[in-house]
Amino acid sequence: MAEKIDGKQIAEDVVAKVKAGAADLLAESGVTPGLAVVIVGEDPASQVYVASKSKKAKECGFFSDQHTLPEDTSEADLLALIAKLNANKRIHGILVQLPLPAHIDSGKVIQTIAPEKDVDGFHFINVGKLGTGELDTAFVPCTPAGSMLLIERVRGKDLSGLSAVVIGRSNIVGKPMANLLLAANCTVTIAHSRTRDIAALARTADILVAAVGRPEIVKGDWVKHGATVVDVGINRVPAPEKGEGKSRLVGDVAYEEAEQNAGAITPVPGGVGPMTIAMLMANTLASACRSAGREPPKL
Ligand code: GUN
């Protein structure tokens, strides 16, 4: 039976280090890390995410600056807000919650954020730094960065000789995840909807990352004996056994089957999920440290 990787506990460790790092930065350089979170519109899921990001920032001792804009905000007004935040010395991290309303060009908005404040790691400069292995000065997107930390806790930092398969090729998870695994010396394959025989490919993986957003698509017999399985999916599915109209969260991996073969596996919920916000805090602290000419704490 596989070891269950406790993302909640590891995220708490990260947040504790971030709190301590923020206190040191304030004591030694007089700088308080500042995180601006911008949300446009009323999407309930986004509201929940944004509220928890702002709350965690306060808990870390940061200056938390939330901007909640109406659904009909113009692109020009949003760009003007970002320009103001770019110029604001109290702000070290800027996050614009996605998705944005359809009348706003998300790509344009993201590329307007100053790369040195882009704590989501979505700006081309940060994507390029990750792709070229400039990890010391890049911002890495929070979900793959958090997934990597979970893998390191099981396998160590150097993954030489291991084969990794990432299922999913999104810009937010799949591609940056593959780059991180490559930087750690894995042999990496990215699988996606057009890949032939994903099951057979997945079975070759010492490290298997599922990031497709389809409930329990990765079956137990896709998992090699002893593999480390990281499940990035968060899917809400009907749960009639809990009562009428009830639902539950499942990952992209059929957990009960996969844990029979895996060496270690992340649960859903309580695996990758809690790591995402923790890494956002870590990125914001890193940005504030860099702005003060200091080395960010090691996680
Ligand atoms: N929406 C869902 N995930 C994310 C994320 O990681 N960053 C931002 N900005 N928006 C999101």
Side-chain angles (χ1 to χ4, degrees):
M1 193 78 102
E3 171 199 348
K4 187 190 276 190
I5 303 172
D6 187 348
K8 200 161 167 270
Q9 180 61 53
I10 297 171
E12 279 171 17
D13 289 351
V14 170
V15 169
K17 284 181 184 152
V18 170
K19 273 187 201 169
D24 287 350
L25 179 66
L26 180 60
E28 288 160 28
S29 304
V31 173
T32 298
L35 174 65
V37 179
V38 180
I39 177 167
V40 183
E42 308 279 312
D43 178 58
S46 291
Q47 299 269 5
V48 171
Y49 288 136
V50 162
S52 54
K53 287 169 185 173
S54 296
K55 182 164 167 247
K56 191 65 81 179
K58 286 184 199 133
E59 199 183 310
C60 289
F62 295 0
F63 166 53
S64 171
D65 181 28
Q66 188 176 322
H67 296 259
T68 306
L69 307 179
E71 179 81 24
D72 63 357
T73 299
S74 71
E75 186 179 286
D77 284 351
L78 179 57
L79 294 175
L81 171 61
I82 292 172
K84 257 175 52 189
L85 296 170
N86 282 342
N88 184 343
K89 291 214 158 28
R90 289 187 71 190
I91 299 296
H92 304 95
I94 302 170
L95 179 141
V96 178
Q97 186 67 24
L98 302 176
L100 288 168
H103 67 277
I104 298 178
D105 178 347
S106 313
K108 189 165 161 191
V109 169
I110 286 164
Q111 301 311 323
T112 304
I113 298 171
E116 67 278 9
K117 297 189 179 187
D118 167 39
V119 283
D120 253 334
F122 295 164
H123 192 285
F124 294 149
I125 293 271
N126 288 310
V127 175
K129 283 184 175 183
L130 173 58
T132 51
E134 295 275 326
L135 292 174
D136 288 346
T137 64
F139 285 114
V140 177
C142 302
T143 298
S147 301
M148 200 61 200
L149 214 59
L150 298 181
I151 293 167
E152 282 176 13
R153 294 291 161 106
V154 179
R155 297 275 191 169
K157 276 189 191 297
D158 184 3
L159 307 177
S160 294
L162 299 180
S163 85
V165 172
V166 178
I167 309 178
R169 55 174 158 178
S170 71
N171 290 330
I172 294 184
V173 183
K175 286 180 203 164
M177 189 74 229
N179 269 324
L180 284 170
L181 290 161
L182 185 59
N185 302 319
C186 279
T187 302
V188 184
T189 308
I190 302 181
H192 49 78
S193 54
R194 307 292 175 91
T195 300
R196 234 180 275 157
D197 202 351
I198 294 199
L201 179 64
R203 275 192 289 275
T204 67
D206 301 304
I207 296 171
L208 181 62
V209 180
V212 274
R214 285 178 182 273
E216 301 185 328
I217 192 176
V218 175
K219 307 298 178 200
D221 66 356
W222 294 28
V223 176
K224 177 174 164 175
H225 183 73
T228 302
V229 178
V230 175
D231 189 352
V232 181
I234 301 178
N235 309 288
R236 192 163 281 286
V237 297
E241 72 281 4
K242 285 168 65 179
E244 201 185 309
K246 297 278 186 197
S247 64
R248 64 192 173 98
L249 292 179
V250 299
D252 292 350
V253 178
Y255 186 90
E256 273 87 33
E257 295 177 15
E259 74 172 340
Q260 306 299 324
N261 285 339
I265 181 167
T266 65
V268 176
V272 174
M275 294 301 292
T276 299
I277 290 187
M279 298 314 287
L280 176 65
M281 301 304 130
N283 279 353
T284 305
L285 175 63
S287 178
C289 288
R290 286 175 197 162
S291 79
R294 290 167 55 99
E295 188 80 5
K298 295 266 174 280
L299 296 178

Short mmCIF file of all heavy atoms in Angstrom, two decimals, residues 46 49 53 95-99 120 122 142-143 172 276, ligand 1:
data_model
loop_
_atom_site.label_atom_id
_atom_site.label_comp_id
_atom_site.label_asym_id
_atom_site.label_seq_id
_atom_site.Cartn_x
_atom_site.Cartn_y
_atom_site.Cartn_z
N SER A 46 -14.14 31.52 -8.07
CA SER A 46 -13.03 32.48 -8.05
C SER A 46 -13.07 33.33 -6.78
O SER A 46 -12.02 33.62 -6.19
CB SER A 46 -13.08 33.40 -9.27
OG SER A 46 -12.79 32.67 -10.43
N TYR A 49 -11.55 31.31 -4.00
CA TYR A 49 -10.09 31.21 -4.13
C TYR A 49 -9.42 32.51 -3.71
O TYR A 49 -8.44 32.51 -2.97
CB TYR A 49 -9.68 30.93 -5.59
CG TYR A 49 -10.00 29.53 -6.08
CD1 TYR A 49 -10.55 29.32 -7.33
CD2 TYR A 49 -9.71 28.41 -5.30
CE1 TYR A 49 -10.83 28.03 -7.80
CE2 TYR A 49 -9.98 27.13 -5.75
CZ TYR A 49 -10.54 26.95 -7.00
OH TYR A 49 -10.82 25.69 -7.46
N LYS A 53 -6.74 33.36 -0.70
CA LYS A 53 -5.39 33.89 -0.97
C LYS A 53 -5.14 35.13 -0.11
O LYS A 53 -4.07 35.27 0.50
CB LYS A 53 -5.25 34.24 -2.46
CG LYS A 53 -5.12 33.01 -3.36
CD LYS A 53 -5.25 33.32 -4.84
CE LYS A 53 -5.25 32.03 -5.66
NZ LYS A 53 -5.52 32.22 -7.09
N LEU A 95 -1.44 39.24 -8.60
CA LEU A 95 -2.13 38.08 -9.15
C LEU A 95 -3.48 38.53 -9.69
O LEU A 95 -4.26 39.14 -8.95
CB LEU A 95 -2.31 37.03 -8.06
CG LEU A 95 -3.04 35.75 -8.48
CD1 LEU A 95 -2.40 34.55 -7.84
CD2 LEU A 95 -4.51 35.81 -8.16
N VAL A 96 -3.73 38.27 -10.95
CA VAL A 96 -5.04 38.53 -11.54
C VAL A 96 -5.74 37.19 -11.67
O VAL A 96 -5.26 36.30 -12.39
CB VAL A 96 -4.92 39.22 -12.92
CG1 VAL A 96 -6.30 39.43 -13.53
CG2 VAL A 96 -4.18 40.54 -12.80
N GLN A 97 -6.83 37.02 -10.93
CA GLN A 97 -7.52 35.73 -10.92
C GLN A 97 -8.11 35.43 -12.30
O GLN A 97 -8.78 36.28 -12.89
CB GLN A 97 -8.61 35.74 -9.85
CG GLN A 97 -9.31 34.41 -9.64
CD GLN A 97 -8.41 33.32 -9.04
OE1 GLN A 97 -7.42 33.60 -8.38
NE2 GLN A 97 -8.75 32.08 -9.29
N LEU A 98 -7.87 34.22 -12.79
CA LEU A 98 -8.43 33.76 -14.06
C LEU A 98 -9.57 32.78 -13.77
O LEU A 98 -9.55 32.13 -12.73
CB LEU A 98 -7.33 33.08 -14.87
CG LEU A 98 -6.11 33.96 -15.19
CD1 LEU A 98 -5.06 33.13 -15.92
CD2 LEU A 98 -6.50 35.18 -15.98
N PRO A 99 -10.52 32.60 -14.62
CA PRO A 99 -10.68 33.29 -15.91
C PRO A 99 -11.21 34.72 -15.73
O PRO A 99 -11.90 35.01 -14.77
CB PRO A 99 -11.72 32.42 -16.62
CG PRO A 99 -12.52 31.80 -15.51
CD PRO A 99 -11.59 31.62 -14.35
N ASP A 120 2.42 34.56 -10.18
CA ASP A 120 1.78 33.41 -10.83
C ASP A 120 2.73 32.71 -11.81
O ASP A 120 2.48 31.58 -12.22
CB ASP A 120 0.56 33.89 -11.64
CG ASP A 120 -0.77 33.53 -11.00
OD1 ASP A 120 -0.83 32.54 -10.26
OD2 ASP A 120 -1.74 34.26 -11.27
N PHE A 122 3.22 33.51 -14.99
CA PHE A 122 2.59 33.36 -16.30
C PHE A 122 3.20 34.27 -17.37
O PHE A 122 2.93 34.12 -18.57
CB PHE A 122 1.09 33.65 -16.21
CG PHE A 122 0.30 32.68 -15.36
CD1 PHE A 122 -0.99 33.01 -14.92
CD2 PHE A 122 0.81 31.44 -15.01
CE1 PHE A 122 -1.73 32.13 -14.15
CE2 PHE A 122 0.07 30.56 -14.22
CZ PHE A 122 -1.20 30.90 -13.78
N CYS A 142 2.39 28.33 -9.34
CA CYS A 142 2.28 27.80 -7.97
C CYS A 142 1.91 26.32 -7.89
O CYS A 142 2.44 25.59 -7.04
CB CYS A 142 1.25 28.63 -7.20
SG CYS A 142 1.70 30.37 -7.16
N THR A 143 1.02 25.85 -8.77
CA THR A 143 0.58 24.45 -8.66
C THR A 143 1.72 23.49 -9.03
O THR A 143 2.00 22.57 -8.26
CB THR A 143 -0.69 24.22 -9.50
OG1 THR A 143 -1.72 25.07 -8.96
CG2 THR A 143 -1.16 22.78 -9.43
N ILE A 172 -0.50 26.30 -17.50
CA ILE A 172 -0.50 26.57 -16.06
C ILE A 172 0.08 25.41 -15.26
O ILE A 172 0.71 25.61 -14.25
CB ILE A 172 -1.94 26.91 -15.58
CG1 ILE A 172 -2.41 28.22 -16.22
CG2 ILE A 172 -2.02 27.01 -14.07
CD1 ILE A 172 -3.78 28.70 -15.75
N THR A 276 -0.83 24.96 -3.47
CA THR A 276 -0.88 26.06 -4.44
C THR A 276 -0.82 27.41 -3.73
O THR A 276 -0.01 28.27 -4.08
CB THR A 276 -2.15 25.93 -5.31
OG1 THR A 276 -2.07 24.69 -6.02
CG2 THR A 276 -2.26 27.05 -6.32
N1 GUN B 1 -7.45 30.41 -11.67
C1 GUN B 1 -7.30 29.09 -11.39
N2 GUN B 1 -6.03 28.82 -11.03
C2 GUN B 1 -5.37 29.99 -11.07
C3 GUN B 1 -4.03 30.37 -10.78
O1 GUN B 1 -3.16 29.57 -10.42
N3 GUN B 1 -3.74 31.70 -10.94
C4 GUN B 1 -4.67 32.59 -11.34
N4 GUN B 1 -4.28 33.86 -11.47
N5 GUN B 1 -5.91 32.29 -11.62
C5 GUN B 1 -6.26 30.98 -11.47
#
